[in-house]
Amino acid sequence: MFRTKTVEQSIRDTEEPEHELKKSLSALDLTVFGVGVIIGTGIFVLTGKVAKETAGPATAFAFIAAGVVCALAALCYAEFASTVPVAGSAYTFSYASLGELVAWTIGWDLVLEFALGTAVVAVGWSGYVRSLMSNVGWDMPEALSGPEAAEGFGFDLLAFLLVLLLTAILVVGVKLSARVTAVVVAIKVTVVLIVIIAGSFFIKADNYSPFIPDSVKQPAGSGWDAPLVQLLFGYEPTNFGIMGIFTAASVVFFAFIGFDVVATAAEETRVPQRDMPRGILGSLLICTVLYVAVSLVVTGMQHYSQLSVSAPLADAFKATGHPFYAGTISFGAAVGLTTVCMILLLGQTRVFFAMSRDGLLPRFFSVTHPKFRTPYRPTILLGVLIAVIAGFTSLEELATLVNIGTLFAFVVVALGVIVLRRTRPDLHRAFRTPLVPLVPILSVAASFWLMLNLPAETWLRFGIWMAMGYVLYFAYSRSHSRLGRVGDDAKY
């Protein structure tokens, strides 16, 4: 259960002709992927909610604090991705450092995170598109607008078709995916820059007063809806004030989720030792700067107490008498979610592919397409399953599972850096996480603190999913693992 797969074995696996992925991505492609998946509903929605309910204009500080937490994890990811340039991200990293059982744990966790994330984003995209269609007089039938719109049984046709279309694009090739993403990200970033530049002309200094409002205790949670830290330790988070900034950081952190997906494309990168750190850290830096700028503009345009929670950026422009910009923002949000959905699906299929190549999932799924050199079998399987889930299911209450899955991956990767430094000091590391073990320890502490602030109900659901994974591991994966088979080392 604790056998490790050496870095050399992992790299040799990538050279087997029928399991080899095409190397076509550059540092720019990776940075575009990162920006494409990070900038989603977070920047268009969370800014207003956090400013109005938790931090006021100091939301900018909350974004900086969340960016620092992500940067700690990103430094650990960058070392691993440049040292072990193999598909699978945190799964592959943990297999090389912490052992097979931990690798299975994180792989199973990522399957949940990416699959559920893709479905949730597809449903959100469908809502934006239906809203835009309604504005021009085109209304979807309720029965084809999803369970929520139909108030009962319904099928979200737009979400279903989006996932199928993105699945086809990913089968054809990751370079095509990168080109599509580049176009969409350009549109999305342009919309964000319009918000920043146009909105700066409508800023009123009075709206920044007070910049850090006086602190107020949050209403006490109850039962399974309460944060786990409150149930365990009686800690009561506060809104506003200095501590309110850190409370807000635990919320806006989820606007940064996605940079870890960049690491899943390491095996398809031309020069991963150089380009992976640039892609991971570059995309995180760009998004942090944009988030801080947007939060400063929107809280300057409208007093934080008057901000809309559902569509703060669009409604702030409406409040200043500029509805044109509001429509542009809604269009940008709809377009932007397309790339978020596609890159989450890409990350999902690469983790599944890596696990099947190791024998922990059926090897049938580890064969690449003879022409496109993409993992087409898991891509088609997962694409169809996720399309059906997105079509039939209302997933809002499950979205926090994506968050706990991401934070759990951060913890494992940070610990893996410390372990691999001790067990394999001889490895060539093109990028080295600074101040080891201090930076990884800080990353673990920060990620675990944010996990404790999630509802206890989320922890329960996460535990049930992981228990299902362990049953599968001991029933199938442990006995089919390539690493565990007698004489199988010769095949590496």
Side-chain angles (χ1 to χ4, degrees):
M1 288 189 298
F2 299 102
R3 55 201 173 209
T4 58
K5 182 179 180 181
T6 67
V7 173
E8 290 80 6
Q9 288 172 335
S10 295
I11 293 176
R12 279 199 294 273
D13 268 1
T14 69
E15 298 168 354
E16 297 179 353
E18 64 176 354
H19 306 294
E20 183 181 6
L21 295 173
K22 184 177 180 180
K23 298 181 183 296
S24 59
L25 299 178
S26 64
L28 178 61
D29 292 328
L30 295 172
T31 303
V32 169
F33 270 147
V35 173
V37 74
I38 296 171
I39 297 183
T41 53
I43 198 169
F44 296 107
V45 177
L46 283 181
T47 306
K49 178 178 176 62
V50 169
K52 185 172 185 177
E53 301 176 359
T54 313
T59 297
F61 291 154
F63 275 116
I64 293 172
V68 170
V69 173
C70 289
L72 294 172
L75 289 169
C76 299
Y77 269 88
E79 174 169 324
F80 258 129
S82 61
T83 307
V84 194
V86 178
S89 185
Y91 159 75
T92 300
F93 306 157
S94 55
Y95 212 159
S97 56
L98 300 173
E100 184 175 281
L101 183 61
V102 178
W104 168 264
T105 300
I106 198 65
W108 188 247
D109 162 58
L110 291 175
V111 167
L112 173 72
E113 174 194 342
F114 292 150
L116 192 59
T118 305
V120 169
V121 172
V123 172
W125 174 88
S126 173
Y128 272 107
V129 172
R130 289 198 308 272
S131 175
L132 289 171
M133 290 170 62
S134 179
N135 290 341
V136 295
W138 299 346
D139 292 314
M140 290 282 293
E142 288 188 356
L144 297 178
S145 300
E148 292 180 347
E151 297 182 358
F153 178 82
F155 183 74
D156 195 330
L157 180 62
L158 292 178
F160 175 80
L161 293 177
L162 173 68
V163 177
L164 290 185
L165 174 63
L166 298 180
T167 298
I169 291 174
L170 289 175
V171 167
V172 171
V174 71
K175 189 62 180 179
L176 174 61
S177 308
R179 288 169 180 163
V180 172
T181 301
V183 173
V184 177
V185 168
I187 296 172
K188 181 161 54 174
V189 171
T190 299
V191 170
V192 173
L193 292 176
I194 287 174
V195 171
I196 295 170
I197 296 170
S200 63
F201 290 97
F202 309 122
I203 290 175
K204 295 181 180 178
D206 292 345
N207 290 331
Y208 288 133
S209 181
F211 196 80
I212 303 179
D214 295 335
S215 61
V216 179
K217 278 190 176 182
Q218 283 188 12
S222 61
W224 290 103
D225 291 335
L228 187 64
V229 67
Q230 182 176 322
L231 295 180
L232 292 179
F233 308 111
Y235 171 78
E236 296 183 8
T238 60
N239 291 335
F240 305 112
I242 298 298
M243 291 308 297
I245 294 173
F246 293 102
T247 302
S250 68
V251 178
V252 300
F253 163 82
F254 305 124
F256 288 91
I257 285 178
F259 75 84
D260 56 318
V261 180
V262 176
T264 66
E267 193 174 325
E268 294 159 276
T269 303
R270 287 196 291 264
V271 190
Q273 293 79 6
R274 179 195 67 193
D275 294 341
M276 287 306 301
R278 293 180 179 180
I280 293 173
L281 297 170
S283 59
L284 183 61
L285 176 62
I286 290 170
C287 292
T288 301
V289 171
L290 292 176
Y291 279 6
V292 170
V294 166
S295 64
L296 286 173
V297 167
V298 75
T299 54
M301 290 177 64
Q302 194 173 19
H303 195 267
Y304 73 89
S305 62
Q306 299 174 343
L307 284 173
S308 160
V309 172
S310 59
L313 274 63
D315 290 347
F317 276 103
K318 286 181 181 178
T320 57
H322 295 82
F324 168 77
Y325 291 115
T328 303
I329 292 167
S330 296
F331 172 75
V335 171
L337 289 180
T338 308
T339 56
V340 178
C341 193
M342 181 168 67
I343 299 168
L344 285 173
L345 183 58
L346 181 144
Q348 160 76 296
T349 57
R350 270 49 179 180
V351 172
F352 200 96
F353 170 78
M355 295 176 74
S356 64
R357 189 166 57 188
D358 290 333
L360 300 184
L361 291 172
R363 291 268 291 169
F364 171 81
F365 295 107
S366 65
V367 177
T368 54
H369 193 281
K371 178 181 179 181
F372 303 125
R373 311 309 303 173
T374 57
Y376 69 106
R377 290 175 178 174
T379 301
I380 293 172
L381 171 70
L382 295 168
V384 172
L385 286 176
I386 294 170
V388 172
I389 292 171
F392 282 109
T393 314
S394 174
L395 296 170
E396 286 188 17
E397 70 279 5
L398 298 180
T400 50
L401 281 172
V402 179
N403 306 330
I404 196 171
T406 301
L407 288 164
F408 182 65
F410 287 3
V411 169
V412 172
V413 169
L415 292 175
V417 167
I418 298 174
V419 172
L420 201 62
R421 283 284 187 98
R422 290 184 175 274
T423 58
R424 292 296 308 276
D426 57 303
L427 283 176
H428 171 67
R429 293 169 169 84
F431 179 89
R432 298 176 68 89
T433 303
L435 301 176
V436 173
L438 178 60
V439 167
I441 290 173
L442 288 174
S443 179
V444 170
S447 299
F448 190 66
W449 170 251
L450 294 181
M451 290 173 73
L452 287 176
N453 279 277
L454 292 171
E457 184 178 28
T458 299
W459 281 81
L460 178 63
R461 288 170 173 166
F462 183 66
I464 292 172
W465 173 257
M466 296 312 298
M468 292 166 55
Y470 288 130
V471 170
L472 180 58
Y473 174 77
F474 287 106
Y476 175 87
S477 303
R478 186 166 178 263
S479 60
H480 287 78
S481 167
R482 291 184 69 193
L483 194 61
R485 290 187 174 185
V486 177
D488 203 50
D489 283 346
K491 297 178 183 178
Y492 285 109

